[in-house]
mmCIF file with all atom_site columns, all heavy atoms in Angstrom:
data_model
loop_
_atom_site.group_PDB
_atom_site.id
_atom_site.type_symbol
_atom_site.label_atom_id
_atom_site.label_alt_id
_atom_site.label_comp_id
_atom_site.label_asym_id
_atom_site.label_entity_id
_atom_site.label_seq_id
_atom_site.pdbx_PDB_ins_code
_atom_site.Cartn_x
_atom_site.Cartn_y
_atom_site.Cartn_z
_atom_site.occupancy
_atom_site.B_iso_or_equiv
_atom_site.pdbx_formal_charge
_atom_site.auth_seq_id
_atom_site.auth_comp_id
_atom_site.auth_asym_id
_atom_site.auth_atom_id
_atom_site.pdbx_PDB_model_num
ATOM 1  N N   . ALA P 1 240 ? 14.500 -33.569 -25.048 1.00 96.00 ? 251 ALA P N   1
ATOM 2  C CA  . ALA P 1 240 ? 14.470 -34.694 -25.907 1.00 96.00 ? 251 ALA P CA  1
ATOM 3  C C   . ALA P 1 240 ? 13.103 -34.843 -26.547 1.00 96.00 ? 251 ALA P C   1
ATOM 4  O O   . ALA P 1 240 ? 12.986 -35.201 -27.736 1.00 96.00 ? 251 ALA P O   1
ATOM 5  C CB  . ALA P 1 240 ? 14.923 -35.983 -25.193 1.00 96.00 ? 251 ALA P CB  1
ATOM 6  N N   . ASP P 1 241 ? 12.088 -34.742 -25.741 1.00 97.00 ? 252 ASP P N   1
ATOM 7  C CA  . ASP P 1 241 ? 10.728 -34.858 -26.283 1.00 97.00 ? 252 ASP P CA  1
ATOM 8  C C   . ASP P 1 241 ? 10.401 -33.792 -27.293 1.00 97.00 ? 252 ASP P C   1
ATOM 9  O O   . ASP P 1 241 ? 9.499  -33.974 -28.134 1.00 97.00 ? 252 ASP P O   1
ATOM 10 C CB  . ASP P 1 241 ? 9.690  -34.858 -25.126 1.00 97.00 ? 252 ASP P CB  1
ATOM 11 C CG  . ASP P 1 241 ? 9.705  -36.078 -24.257 1.00 97.00 ? 252 ASP P CG  1
ATOM 12 O OD1 . ASP P 1 241 ? 10.353 -37.068 -24.667 1.00 97.00 ? 252 ASP P OD1 1
ATOM 13 O OD2 . ASP P 1 241 ? 9.251  -36.053 -23.161 1.00 97.00 ? 252 ASP P OD2 1
ATOM 14 N N   . ALA P 1 242 ? 11.050 -32.660 -27.198 1.00 98.00 ? 253 ALA P N   1
ATOM 15 C CA  . ALA P 1 242 ? 10.841 -31.556 -28.159 1.00 98.00 ? 253 ALA P CA  1
ATOM 16 C C   . ALA P 1 242 ? 11.627 -31.719 -29.427 1.00 98.00 ? 253 ALA P C   1
ATOM 17 O O   . ALA P 1 242 ? 11.565 -30.839 -30.323 1.00 98.00 ? 253 ALA P O   1
ATOM 18 C CB  . ALA P 1 242 ? 11.195 -30.251 -27.474 1.00 98.00 ? 253 ALA P CB  1
ATOM 19 N N   . GLY P 1 243 ? 12.390 -32.805 -29.475 1.00 98.00 ? 254 GLY P N   1
ATOM 20 C CA  . GLY P 1 243 ? 13.057 -33.119 -30.792 1.00 98.00 ? 254 GLY P CA  1
ATOM 21 C C   . GLY P 1 243 ? 14.558 -32.648 -30.768 1.00 98.00 ? 254 GLY P C   1
ATOM 22 O O   . GLY P 1 243 ? 15.221 -32.644 -31.886 1.00 98.00 ? 254 GLY P O   1
ATOM 23 N N   . TYR P 1 244 ? 15.064 -32.352 -29.541 1.00 97.00 ? 255 TYR P N   1
ATOM 24 C CA  . TYR P 1 244 ? 16.479 -31.934 -29.532 1.00 97.00 ? 255 TYR P CA  1
ATOM 25 C C   . TYR P 1 244 ? 17.375 -33.160 -29.343 1.00 97.00 ? 255 TYR P C   1
ATOM 26 O O   . TYR P 1 244 ? 17.053 -34.130 -28.564 1.00 97.00 ? 255 TYR P O   1
ATOM 27 C CB  . TYR P 1 244 ? 16.751 -30.968 -28.415 1.00 97.00 ? 255 TYR P CB  1
ATOM 28 C CG  . TYR P 1 244 ? 16.236 -29.556 -28.703 1.00 97.00 ? 255 TYR P CG  1
ATOM 29 C CD1 . TYR P 1 244 ? 14.851 -29.233 -28.668 1.00 97.00 ? 255 TYR P CD1 1
ATOM 30 C CD2 . TYR P 1 244 ? 17.129 -28.562 -29.058 1.00 97.00 ? 255 TYR P CD2 1
ATOM 31 C CE1 . TYR P 1 244 ? 14.412 -27.983 -29.034 1.00 97.00 ? 255 TYR P CE1 1
ATOM 32 C CE2 . TYR P 1 244 ? 16.692 -27.244 -29.374 1.00 97.00 ? 255 TYR P CE2 1
ATOM 33 C CZ  . TYR P 1 244 ? 15.365 -26.973 -29.401 1.00 97.00 ? 255 TYR P CZ  1
ATOM 34 O OH  . TYR P 1 244 ? 14.882 -25.741 -29.742 1.00 97.00 ? 255 TYR P OH  1
ATOM 35 N N   . THR P 1 245 ? 18.565 -33.186 -29.882 1.00 97.00 ? 256 THR P N   1
ATOM 36 C CA  . THR P 1 245 ? 19.601 -34.212 -29.678 1.00 97.00 ? 256 THR P CA  1
ATOM 37 C C   . THR P 1 245 ? 20.489 -33.688 -28.521 1.00 97.00 ? 256 THR P C   1
ATOM 38 O O   . THR P 1 245 ? 20.944 -32.554 -28.567 1.00 97.00 ? 256 THR P O   1
ATOM 39 C CB  . THR P 1 245 ? 20.459 -34.383 -30.959 1.00 97.00 ? 256 THR P CB  1
ATOM 40 O OG1 . THR P 1 245 ? 19.628 -34.834 -32.018 1.00 97.00 ? 256 THR P OG1 1
ATOM 41 C CG2 . THR P 1 245 ? 21.574 -35.450 -30.664 1.00 97.00 ? 256 THR P CG2 1
ATOM 42 N N   . LEU P 1 246 ? 20.777 -34.523 -27.560 1.00 96.00 ? 257 LEU P N   1
ATOM 43 C CA  . LEU P 1 246 ? 21.534 -34.142 -26.389 1.00 96.00 ? 257 LEU P CA  1
ATOM 44 C C   . LEU P 1 246 ? 22.936 -34.750 -26.389 1.00 96.00 ? 257 LEU P C   1
ATOM 45 O O   . LEU P 1 246 ? 23.115 -35.915 -26.716 1.00 96.00 ? 257 LEU P O   1
ATOM 46 C CB  . LEU P 1 246 ? 20.851 -34.644 -25.123 1.00 96.00 ? 257 LEU P CB  1
ATOM 47 C CG  . LEU P 1 246 ? 19.804 -33.641 -24.510 1.00 96.00 ? 257 LEU P CG  1
ATOM 48 C CD1 . LEU P 1 246 ? 18.624 -33.450 -25.505 1.00 96.00 ? 257 LEU P CD1 1
ATOM 49 C CD2 . LEU P 1 246 ? 19.371 -34.107 -23.161 1.00 96.00 ? 257 LEU P CD2 1
ATOM 50 N N   . PHE P 1 247 ? 23.923 -33.873 -26.087 1.00 96.00 ? 258 PHE P N   1
ATOM 51 C CA  . PHE P 1 247 ? 25.301 -34.285 -25.946 1.00 96.00 ? 258 PHE P CA  1
ATOM 52 C C   . PHE P 1 247 ? 25.868 -33.869 -24.611 1.00 96.00 ? 258 PHE P C   1
ATOM 53 O O   . PHE P 1 247 ? 25.473 -32.806 -24.077 1.00 96.00 ? 258 PHE P O   1
ATOM 54 C CB  . PHE P 1 247 ? 26.166 -33.562 -27.047 1.00 96.00 ? 258 PHE P CB  1
ATOM 55 C CG  . PHE P 1 247 ? 25.877 -33.968 -28.470 1.00 96.00 ? 258 PHE P CG  1
ATOM 56 C CD1 . PHE P 1 247 ? 25.057 -33.210 -29.299 1.00 96.00 ? 258 PHE P CD1 1
ATOM 57 C CD2 . PHE P 1 247 ? 26.514 -35.121 -29.039 1.00 96.00 ? 258 PHE P CD2 1
ATOM 58 C CE1 . PHE P 1 247 ? 24.811 -33.541 -30.538 1.00 96.00 ? 258 PHE P CE1 1
ATOM 59 C CE2 . PHE P 1 247 ? 26.213 -35.421 -30.365 1.00 96.00 ? 258 PHE P CE2 1
ATOM 60 C CZ  . PHE P 1 247 ? 25.409 -34.621 -31.102 1.00 96.00 ? 258 PHE P CZ  1
ATOM 61 N N   . SER P 1 248 ? 26.764 -34.653 -24.062 1.00 96.00 ? 259 SER P N   1
ATOM 62 C CA  . SER P 1 248 ? 27.561 -34.255 -22.913 1.00 96.00 ? 259 SER P CA  1
ATOM 63 C C   . SER P 1 248 ? 28.722 -33.401 -23.512 1.00 96.00 ? 259 SER P C   1
ATOM 64 O O   . SER P 1 248 ? 29.231 -33.692 -24.565 1.00 96.00 ? 259 SER P O   1
ATOM 65 C CB  . SER P 1 248 ? 28.064 -35.472 -22.203 1.00 96.00 ? 259 SER P CB  1
ATOM 66 O OG  . SER P 1 248 ? 28.862 -35.045 -21.055 1.00 96.00 ? 259 SER P OG  1
ATOM 67 N N   . ILE P 1 249 ? 29.080 -32.427 -22.698 1.00 97.00 ? 260 ILE P N   1
ATOM 68 C CA  . ILE P 1 249 ? 30.201 -31.496 -23.084 1.00 97.00 ? 260 ILE P CA  1
ATOM 69 C C   . ILE P 1 249 ? 31.422 -31.759 -22.267 1.00 97.00 ? 260 ILE P C   1
ATOM 70 O O   . ILE P 1 249 ? 31.354 -31.886 -20.999 1.00 97.00 ? 260 ILE P O   1
ATOM 71 C CB  . ILE P 1 249 ? 29.744 -30.013 -22.914 1.00 97.00 ? 260 ILE P CB  1
ATOM 72 C CG1 . ILE P 1 249 ? 28.512 -29.723 -23.769 1.00 97.00 ? 260 ILE P CG1 1
ATOM 73 C CG2 . ILE P 1 249 ? 30.893 -29.034 -23.280 1.00 97.00 ? 260 ILE P CG2 1
ATOM 74 C CD1 . ILE P 1 249 ? 27.905 -28.354 -23.429 1.00 97.00 ? 260 ILE P CD1 1
ATOM 75 N N   . GLY P 1 250 ? 32.571 -31.950 -22.922 1.00 96.00 ? 261 GLY P N   1
ATOM 76 C CA  . GLY P 1 250 ? 33.849 -32.118 -22.231 1.00 96.00 ? 261 GLY P CA  1
ATOM 77 C C   . GLY P 1 250 ? 35.009 -31.477 -23.076 1.00 96.00 ? 261 GLY P C   1
ATOM 78 O O   . GLY P 1 250 ? 34.780 -30.735 -23.930 1.00 96.00 ? 261 GLY P O   1
ATOM 79 N N   . TRP P 1 251 ? 36.238 -31.854 -22.715 1.00 96.00 ? 262 TRP P N   1
ATOM 80 C CA  . TRP P 1 251 ? 37.343 -31.303 -23.473 1.00 96.00 ? 262 TRP P CA  1
ATOM 81 C C   . TRP P 1 251 ? 38.489 -32.312 -23.421 1.00 96.00 ? 262 TRP P C   1
ATOM 82 O O   . TRP P 1 251 ? 38.615 -33.170 -22.494 1.00 96.00 ? 262 TRP P O   1
ATOM 83 C CB  . TRP P 1 251 ? 37.827 -30.012 -22.812 1.00 96.00 ? 262 TRP P CB  1
ATOM 84 C CG  . TRP P 1 251 ? 38.096 -30.031 -21.335 1.00 96.00 ? 262 TRP P CG  1
ATOM 85 C CD1 . TRP P 1 251 ? 37.120 -29.753 -20.344 1.00 96.00 ? 262 TRP P CD1 1
ATOM 86 C CD2 . TRP P 1 251 ? 39.274 -30.357 -20.614 1.00 96.00 ? 262 TRP P CD2 1
ATOM 87 N NE1 . TRP P 1 251 ? 37.715 -29.845 -19.050 1.00 96.00 ? 262 TRP P NE1 1
ATOM 88 C CE2 . TRP P 1 251 ? 39.037 -30.262 -19.230 1.00 96.00 ? 262 TRP P CE2 1
ATOM 89 C CE3 . TRP P 1 251 ? 40.542 -30.780 -21.065 1.00 96.00 ? 262 TRP P CE3 1
ATOM 90 C CZ2 . TRP P 1 251 ? 39.991 -30.561 -18.246 1.00 96.00 ? 262 TRP P CZ2 1
ATOM 91 C CZ3 . TRP P 1 251 ? 41.568 -31.043 -20.106 1.00 96.00 ? 262 TRP P CZ3 1
ATOM 92 C CH2 . TRP P 1 251 ? 41.272 -30.936 -18.745 1.00 96.00 ? 262 TRP P CH2 1
ATOM 93 N N   . SER P 1 252 ? 39.356 -32.191 -24.411 1.00 95.00 ? 263 SER P N   1
ATOM 94 C CA  . SER P 1 252 ? 40.639 -32.897 -24.467 1.00 95.00 ? 263 SER P CA  1
ATOM 95 C C   . SER P 1 252 ? 41.704 -31.833 -24.409 1.00 95.00 ? 263 SER P C   1
ATOM 96 O O   . SER P 1 252 ? 41.381 -30.670 -24.333 1.00 95.00 ? 263 SER P O   1
ATOM 97 C CB  . SER P 1 252 ? 40.722 -33.799 -25.756 1.00 95.00 ? 263 SER P CB  1
ATOM 98 O OG  . SER P 1 252 ? 40.822 -32.914 -26.885 1.00 95.00 ? 263 SER P OG  1
#
Side-chain angles (χ1 to χ4, degrees):
D252 289 345
Y255 284 77
T256 300
L257 273 65
F258 295 95
S259 179
I260 301 171
W262 52 269
S263 67

